[in-house]
């Protein structure tokens, strides 16, 4: 196990991996990032990072795996960027390929090959596939009308045209000629209302031009047979199925595969010598050509469907090109291609109050993350814990701080450091850094109970990761850390050491085994963290535990006291994470506000001041209080946004555990899953209204952005919403439909916007909105007569009509 970075790793030669008969051979690709800017965090989690986690997991399991990616370099966006920067398209590609590679290297992305679509291999493979399609009569030549700019004296490619989206209800005024960024609909430039040339802003005119088309309608039967079979066998994500079906339902049309451009793969026909292939015809072929750069035996991966499983990762806007266009292209050749088995699709990761945008320079970009001094394992963890698998998620600095300080520092880091630092204490106080010998655990109920729970979480981890449910896999791994902390606290090892040494030996050796197990399970998510843990355990990298069925690793993981041998000497324990302070969060939020262009202007104006602030408020060094006050004062001048229902973060939650408050007879303490890597602790005054057995394992509506508050000694991190009758003698939980997705945000028709990260109690946002929350005569929970709505339907109560919700 360990970091097996290929092209992204520094130096060294590596053995070429080829499919092995009788083994699971996994071919992984992530959508090729475009070279028109530095990748932002939304690009990174949507494509390369998610694929990297799965690739590392596959290697951990002993599968024969390669991970292929590279930069997508041809097309209009490159030409446009080159015009902006006053250089050639090739110079732009060289510049941004190097930047992308550096960013992914810092993020620890373990490509086996990170290539480019501007390679000679791309031209060779692309033209060969085109030749087969032409030979098999799946192509046609047609005259089409295209916008021509008389000022620029050129046909305008899709992305060189902007205008008003023609889709009813959208009418976004900056829709591109190929796709509307707002509603996602694919467009032709001539469909835009009031089109304008992006270069000179003049109105273009329509002119005839000849192009080649892929006859998708003729390929429909082959395509639908593939989709119907593979979407089930490969467990395609629901958003991928929906996007694909939308294309099919709309009706497949001949798709133009050539463009009037110079920068691209040339069309190998004399009458088309001044044209190139459309980027969305040649870009997916880049997966193949980049593999051919990795090995000249690339066909063993790409023309071997019986022995190779292809997994592809991408954002939701790329789905139709991978489920319709690319498979149709390969099917049309008549050759035995390895077609995609499983597609993993992410929704959008939004930034603070809006969308990440690479073209507009909005959000935190890969090089920004590096410059914060926040360690890479924190960035990887946060992005993966917040991975938008079923719905859009939101990046906020406050949430990053909460996850670092709460989940990584106080849970995971605290558990590991407590265990290793106690073992490292000198004899008489600890174990002198030596793993103790133990008798069998059969008679130790606490340890057996822990082992049973750990076994279940390991099984859940494997099941989730096999289905590419990465967020759930991470959640299962982190739950083992939570159980470890509970185990230590319940055992009270510091007392056992004095009173019952054999039991203490068992507890500490078991806990050290959990540390080792956590490092293994979390390696796909945080490889640099795992390397540090193995170093502190004094375990050589090449001897890391794997999760191979054949080696019995899964079963061994369920007996953690057997993982590390007695007599093993650990290394030197060190804290693994450092606290992110409030003043640092304010600094980063301020620093990364606005677009990249705006930041440059600000940076130039405040260079000396900002440098001083960064020097005194980095993650590793802590901040000075006086400077914290000055940086924090900027946010106070911000205009308070309007109080609307969108400022509340109400989610579908699942109560996984409920019990009586140990110090208050009227209160329950619940553990509630709200779609995060760890459940939230919630204290509710429901004891006299709802029996304890009815609180178990039920879905509820949870207000997640109230400021945490201590209730009789236990901090409540959210609030369960319930309705009460007029005299408050009856209370019922507001319940989502049974098929609602845990963690999804409750929506209100006509209201759109992102919630506050944490509601400011002084602004009375909750108090202002709460008066308009009530049930109606049909028992539906509403805000001003607008139902609480989930993807599975509306939220209701059992019997209270016209009840107040709080």
């Amino acid at each position: 196990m360990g970091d097996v970075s290929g092209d992204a790793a520094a130096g060294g030669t590596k053995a070429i991996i080829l499919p092995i008969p009788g083994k699971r051979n996994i071919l992984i690709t992530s959508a090729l990032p475009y070279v028109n800017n530095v990748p932002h965090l939304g690009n990174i989690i949507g494509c390369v990072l998610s694929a990297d986690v799965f690739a590392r997991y596959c290697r951990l399991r002993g599968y024969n795996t390669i991970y292929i990616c590279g930069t997508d370099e041809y097309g209009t966006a490159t030409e446009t960027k080159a015009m902006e920067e006053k250089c050639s398209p090739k110079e732009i590609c060289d510049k941004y390929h190097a930047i992308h590679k550096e960013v992914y290297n810092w993020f620890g992305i373990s490509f086996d090959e990170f290539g480019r679509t501007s390679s000679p291999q791309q031209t060779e493979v692309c033209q060969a596939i085109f030749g087969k399609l032409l030979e098999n009569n799946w192509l046609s030549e047609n005259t089409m009308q295209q916008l021509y700019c008389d000022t620029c004296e050129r046909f305008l490619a899709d992305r060189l045209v902007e205008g008003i989206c023609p889709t009813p209800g959208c009418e976004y005024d900056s829709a591109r000629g190929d796709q509307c960024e707002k509603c996602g609909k694919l467009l032709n430039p001539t469909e835009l209302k009031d089109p304008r040339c992006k270069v000179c802003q003049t109105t273009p005119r329509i002119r005839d031009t000849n192009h080649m088309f892929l006859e998708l309608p003729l390929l429909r039967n082959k395509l639908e047979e593939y989709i119907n079979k593979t979407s089930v066998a490969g467990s395609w994500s629901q958003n991928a199925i929906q996007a694909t079906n939308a294309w099919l339902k709309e009706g497949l049309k001949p798709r133009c595969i050539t463009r009037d451009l110079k920068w691209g793969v040339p069309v190998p026909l004399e009458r088309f010598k001044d044209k190139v292939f459309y980027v969305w015809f040649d870009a997916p072929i880049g997966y193949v050509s980049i593999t051919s750069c990795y090995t000249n035996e690339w066909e063993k991966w790409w023309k071997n469907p019986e022995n190779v499983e292809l997994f592809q990762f991408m954002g939701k806007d790329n789905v139709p090109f991978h489920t319709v266009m690319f498979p149709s292209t390969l099917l049309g050749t008549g050759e035995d291609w390895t077609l995609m088995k499983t597609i993993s699709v992410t929704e959008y990761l939004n930034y603070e109050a809006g969308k990440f945008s690479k073209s507009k320079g909005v959000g935190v970009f890969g090089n920004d993350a590096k410059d914060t001094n926040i360690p890479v394992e924190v960035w990887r963890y946060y992005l993966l814990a917040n991975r938008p698998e079923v719905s859009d998620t939101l990046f906020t600095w406050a949430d990053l701080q909460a996850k670092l300080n709460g989940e990584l520092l106080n849970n995971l880091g605290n558990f590991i450091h407590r265990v290793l630092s106690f073992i490292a204490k000198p004899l008489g106080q600890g174990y002198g850094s030596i793993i103790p010998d133990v008798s069998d655990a059969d008679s130790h109920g606490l340890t057996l109970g822990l082992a049973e729970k750990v076994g279940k979480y390991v099984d859940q981890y494997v099941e989730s990761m096999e289905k590419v449910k990465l967020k759930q896999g991470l959640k299962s791994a982190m739950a083992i850390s939570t159980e470890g902390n509970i185990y230590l606290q319940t055992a009270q090892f510091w007392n056992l050491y004095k009173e019952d040494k054999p039991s203490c030996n068992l507890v500490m050796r078991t806990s050290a085994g959990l540390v080792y197990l956590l490092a293994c399970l979390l390696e796909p998510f945080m490889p640099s963290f795992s390397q540090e843990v193995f170093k502190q355990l004094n375990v050589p990298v090449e001897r890391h535990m794997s999760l191979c069925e054949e080696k019995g690793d899964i079963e061994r993981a369920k007996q953690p006291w057997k993982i590390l041998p007695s007599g093993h000497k650990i290394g030197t324990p060190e804290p693994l994470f450092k606290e992110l302070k409030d003043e640092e969060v304010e600094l980063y939020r301020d620093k990364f506000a606005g677009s990249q262009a705006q930041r440059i202007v600000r940076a130039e104006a405040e260079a000396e001041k900002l440098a001083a602030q960064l020097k005194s408020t980095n993650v590793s060094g802590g901040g000075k209080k006086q400077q914290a006050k000055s940086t924090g004062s900027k946010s106070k001048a911000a205009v308070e946004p309007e109080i609307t229902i969108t400022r509340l973060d109400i989610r579908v939650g699942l109560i996984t555990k409920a019990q009586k408050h140990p110090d208050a007879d009227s209160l329950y303490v619940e553990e509630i899953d709200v779609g995060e890597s760890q459940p939230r602790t919630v204290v509710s005054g429901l004891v006299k209204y709802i029996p304890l057995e009815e609180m178990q394992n039920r879905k509820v509506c949870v207000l997640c952005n109230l400021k945490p508050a201590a209730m009789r000694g236990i901090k409540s991190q959210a609030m369960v919403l319930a309705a009460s009758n007029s005299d408050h003698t009856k209370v019922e939980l507001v319940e989502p439909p049974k098929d609602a997705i845990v963690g999804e945000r409750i929506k209100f028709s006509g209201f759109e916007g992102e919630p506050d990260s944490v509601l400011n109690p002084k602004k009375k946002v909750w108090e202002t909105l709460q008066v308009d929350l009530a049930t109606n005569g049909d028992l539906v929970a509403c805000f001003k007569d607008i139902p609480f709505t989930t993807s599975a339907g509306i939220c209701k109560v059992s019997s209270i009509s016209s009840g107040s919700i709080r």
Side-chain angles (χ1 to χ4, degrees):
M1 204 181 75
D3 191 343
V4 286
S5 295
D7 194 75
T13 58
K14 59 187 189 301
I16 297 299
I17 300 170
L18 294 173
I20 300 172
K23 290 197 71 171
R24 275 195 79 181
N25 299 296
I26 308 291
L27 171 58
I28 298 169
T29 71
S30 58
L32 307 182
Y34 208 77
V35 288
N36 64 334
N37 207 326
V38 182
H40 59 59
L41 298 185
N43 304 135
I44 290 168
I45 185 58
C47 303
V48 296
L49 179 55
S50 295
D52 179 63
V53 172
F54 187 66
R56 288 176 178 275
Y57 165 77
C58 289
R59 297 179 189 123
L60 190 65
R61 295 279 281 155
Y63 305 152
N64 198 47
T65 304
I66 64 168
Y67 174 19
I68 299 296
C69 191
T71 41
D72 179 6
E73 302 191 351
Y74 284 140
T76 314
T78 305
E79 288 194 351
T80 305
K81 191 71 174 178
M83 282 188 276
E84 288 176 9
E85 299 197 11
K86 297 180 173 58
C87 61
S88 69
K90 184 181 185 306
E91 288 171 325
I92 281 289
C93 293
D94 290 345
K95 171 184 173 180
Y96 282 103
H97 175 80
I99 290 172
H100 276 254
K101 194 170 182 179
E102 182 182 358
V103 167
Y104 302 142
N105 187 32
W106 185 78
F107 269 93
I109 308 300
S110 60
F111 306 117
D112 289 277
E113 185 74 24
F114 185 73
R116 314 176 63 165
T117 60
S118 59
S119 67
Q121 290 89 340
Q122 174 75 356
T123 300
E124 181 182 344
V125 176
C126 195
Q127 290 183 345
I129 288 174
F130 171 78
K132 285 290 185 181
L133 292 170
L134 192 65
E135 180 184 316
N136 295 339
N137 297 313
W138 298 118
L139 300 177
S140 62
E141 181 179 341
N142 290 297
T143 300
M144 63 183 290
Q145 293 185 319
Q146 194 171 337
L147 295 174
Y148 185 87
C149 179
D150 289 304
T151 305
C152 296
E153 296 183 327
R154 62 186 293 183
F155 282 102
L156 296 180
D158 300 351
R159 292 192 174 213
L160 286 179
V161 185
E162 288 185 341
I164 298 172
C165 178
T167 306
C170 178
E171 298 174 343
Y172 179 53
D173 64 0
S174 295
R176 297 195 311 253
D178 60 344
Q179 189 173 23
C180 175
E181 191 179 25
K182 182 179 178 184
C183 71
K185 185 173 178 62
L186 296 172
L187 301 169
N188 287 313
T190 53
E191 296 177 305
L192 292 173
K193 299 176 183 177
D194 298 328
R196 59 188 180 274
C197 172
K198 193 173 179 180
V199 177
C200 67
Q201 299 299 307
T202 60
T203 302
R205 63 186 176 90
I206 295 176
R207 240 176 82 169
D208 288 347
T209 180
N210 289 347
H211 282 289
M212 299 297 293
F213 288 74
L214 178 63
E215 288 291 339
L216 290 178
L218 301 181
L219 286 159
R220 183 180 184 114
N221 290 341
K222 289 177 179 288
L223 178 66
E224 286 190 337
E225 181 184 356
Y226 159 72
I227 291 171
N228 292 337
K229 177 183 176 183
T230 311
S231 62
V232 175
S235 301
W236 287 11
S237 55
Q238 197 57 41
N239 44 11
I241 293 171
Q242 289 171 350
T244 304
N245 288 341
W247 259 50
L248 296 176
K249 185 177 179 182
E250 199 173 285
L252 294 178
K253 301 168 186 174
R255 193 76 184 174
C256 184
I257 63 169
T258 54
R259 285 292 184 267
D260 290 290
L261 290 173
K262 292 183 173 60
W263 182 244
V265 174
V267 181
L269 296 173
E270 180 61 29
R271 63 187 183 281
F272 283 87
K273 63 182 180 181
D274 293 326
K275 301 179 191 289
V276 299
F277 287 116
Y278 178 35
V279 68
W280 266 113
F281 175 76
D282 93 272
I285 295 171
Y287 301 131
V288 182
S289 72
I290 292 169
T291 310
S292 76
C293 295
Y294 172 68
T295 172
N296 56 14
E297 297 183 84
W298 61 270
E299 291 186 348
K300 290 184 177 180
W301 283 106
W302 281 101
K303 293 185 178 180
N304 191 2
E306 297 302 316
N307 293 303
V308 174
E309 301 170 58
L310 172 59
F311 289 75
Q312 298 195 287
F313 290 76
M314 69 206 64
K316 64 181 177 182
D317 51 342
N318 286 341
V319 170
F321 302 107
H322 289 79
T323 60
V324 177
M325 286 286 289
F326 189 39
S328 296
T329 299
L330 298 181
L331 288 167
T333 66
E335 297 175 320
D336 201 17
W337 288 93
T338 301
L339 299 178
M340 176 180 62
K341 175 191 174 184
T342 297
I343 181 171
S344 180
V345 178
T346 53
E347 302 290 315
Y348 292 131
L349 175 68
N350 294 321
Y351 178 66
E352 292 283 348
K355 277 187 175 181
F356 277 94
S357 175
K358 191 161 66 167
S359 57
K360 296 176 182 177
V362 175
V364 178
F365 288 71
N367 52 345
D368 296 333
K370 182 179 179 181
D371 292 342
T372 61
N373 293 325
I374 296 173
V376 64
E377 60 264 27
V378 175
W379 285 108
R380 284 181 64 117
Y381 178 84
Y382 179 71
L383 291 173
L384 291 157
N386 213 21
R387 186 175 186 249
E389 291 183 359
V390 296
S391 61
D392 292 356
T393 57
L394 183 66
F395 172 98
T396 69
W397 288 102
D399 189 36
L400 172 65
Q401 179 191 30
K403 284 185 168 58
L404 167 52
N405 294 349
E407 298 172 16
L408 292 179
L409 177 62
N410 294 336
N411 178 3
L412 180 64
N414 177 61
F415 171 68
I416 293 173
H417 193 62
R418 285 180 82 189
V419 172
L420 299 187
S421 60
F422 188 77
I423 293 173
K425 286 182 178 180
L427 293 174
Q429 301 174 42
Y431 291 91
S433 298
I434 304 297
I435 300 295
D437 193 10
V438 301
S439 55
D440 199 76
D442 288 348
S443 60
H444 199 265
L446 181 64
T447 300
L448 292 177
L450 171 73
E452 183 179 358
K453 292 175 183 176
V454 168
K456 288 179 180 177
Y457 283 125
V458 169
D459 288 341
Q460 289 173 13
Y461 171 89
V462 171
E463 181 183 2
S464 298
M465 298 298 283
E466 290 291 332
K467 294 178 179 178
V468 202
K469 304 294 184 186
L470 307 182
K471 188 192 287 189
Q472 184 58 46
L474 177 57
K475 190 174 179 180
S476 297
M478 289 296 288
I480 293 175
S481 176
T482 302
E483 293 297 338
N485 276 310
I486 294 170
Y487 176 66
L488 287 179
Q489 205 63 24
T490 305
Q492 296 192 354
F493 62 92
W494 56 94
N495 289 329
L496 285 180
Y497 188 79
K498 302 171 188 174
E499 301 166 3
D500 185 356
K501 193 72 176 293
S503 292
C504 190
N505 293 351
L506 178 61
V507 168
M508 297 318 296
R509 183 168 168 182
T510 299
S511 299
L514 284 190
V515 170
Y516 191 105
L517 176 62
L518 283 166
C520 291
L521 297 179
L522 291 170
E523 193 273 348
F525 300 93
M526 298 185 289
S528 56
F529 155 83
S530 294
Q531 287 183 2
E532 177 59 26
V533 174
F534 285 125
K535 176 184 172 186
Q536 293 187 24
L537 283 169
N538 191 29
V539 177
V541 172
E542 63 273 11
R543 285 170 50 198
H544 291 175
M545 173 178 155
S546 63
L547 286 177
C548 295
E549 301 282 358
E550 310 87 67
K551 297 179 182 178
D553 293 331
I554 301 295
E555 290 309 308
R556 188 158 50 251
K558 297 174 183 179
Q559 295 180 304
W561 58 89
K562 293 184 177 180
I563 292 176
L564 287 174
S566 61
H568 173 76
K569 185 174 183 178
I570 67 169
T572 304
E574 297 285 348
L576 292 160
F577 301 101
K578 295 178 181 178
E579 181 183 7
L580 184 62
K581 300 181 184 297
D582 291 345
E583 56 264 31
E584 297 170 80
V585 171
E586 284 297 319
L587 177 62
Y588 294 136
R589 185 185 288 117
D590 185 54
K591 180 183 178 185
F592 297 113
S595 69
Q596 287 175 311
Q598 291 167 333
R599 294 175 203 167
I600 291 170
V601 172
R602 278 204 314 271
E604 289 174 348
E606 301 183 14
E608 290 184 11
K609 180 181 177 183
L610 187 58
Q613 290 171 337
L614 283 173
K615 184 177 179 181
S616 61
T617 55
N618 58 62
V619 172
S620 59
K624 296 181 180 178
K625 293 181 179 179
Q626 188 60 39
Q627 288 172 326
K629 290 178 182 177
S630 66
T631 54
S633 64
K634 296 180 183 179
S635 62
K636 296 177 183 177
V639 177
E640 177 68 16
E642 179 186 0
I643 295 181
T644 71
I645 193 66
T646 60
R647 292 182 64 177
L648 301 185
D649 184 7
I650 304 175
R651 301 186 214 164
V652 175
L654 175 66
I655 300 176
T656 58
K657 181 181 179 182
Q659 58 189 6
K660 292 280 192 71
H661 194 298
D663 298 317
D665 293 340
S666 63
L667 301 178
Y668 285 133
V669 180
E670 305 108 23
E671 297 293 322
I672 303 181
D673 182 352
V674 290
E676 298 171 338
S677 59
Q678 295 291 310
R680 294 202 186 191
T681 300
V682 179
V683 181
S684 305
L686 298 170
V687 169
K688 67 179 182 179
Y689 304 107
I690 303 172
L692 182 59
E693 59 270 18
E694 292 182 16
M695 292 290 292
Q696 310 293 340
N697 297 310
R698 67 186 293 179
K699 287 184 178 175
V700 288
C701 293
V702 185
L703 179 61
C704 293
N705 60 342
L706 284 176
K707 187 175 181 180
M711 299 179 71
R712 299 294 294 272
I714 295 179
K715 184 169 283 190
S716 182
Q717 299 170 319
M719 183 170 71
V720 176
L721 296 184
S724 62
N725 59 5
S726 57
D727 58 3
H728 301 291
T729 58
K730 189 177 184 180
V731 175
E732 294 174 350
L733 293 173
V734 177
E735 295 190 86
K738 65 178 182 178
D739 293 329
I741 299 168
V742 172
E744 71 170 296
R745 192 177 170 203
I746 303 295
K747 296 184 178 179
F748 300 87
S749 179
F751 290 89
E752 291 187 4
E754 298 301 330
D756 292 11
S757 55
V758 179
L759 295 173
N760 186 341
K762 295 179 180 179
K763 303 299 181 181
K764 303 295 184 185
V765 176
W766 163 245
E767 291 79 0
T768 303
L769 295 167
Q770 187 274 323
V771 295
D772 291 313
L773 299 178
T775 57
N776 64 17
D778 295 321
L779 310 181
V780 176
C782 297
F783 169 72
K784 293 183 177 180
D785 298 324
I786 300 170
F788 285 47
T789 305
T790 73
S791 59
I794 57 177
C795 304
K796 304 182 73 173
V797 296
S798 299
S799 63
I800 299 174
S801 61
S802 302
S804 175
I805 296 174
R806 65 183 68 227

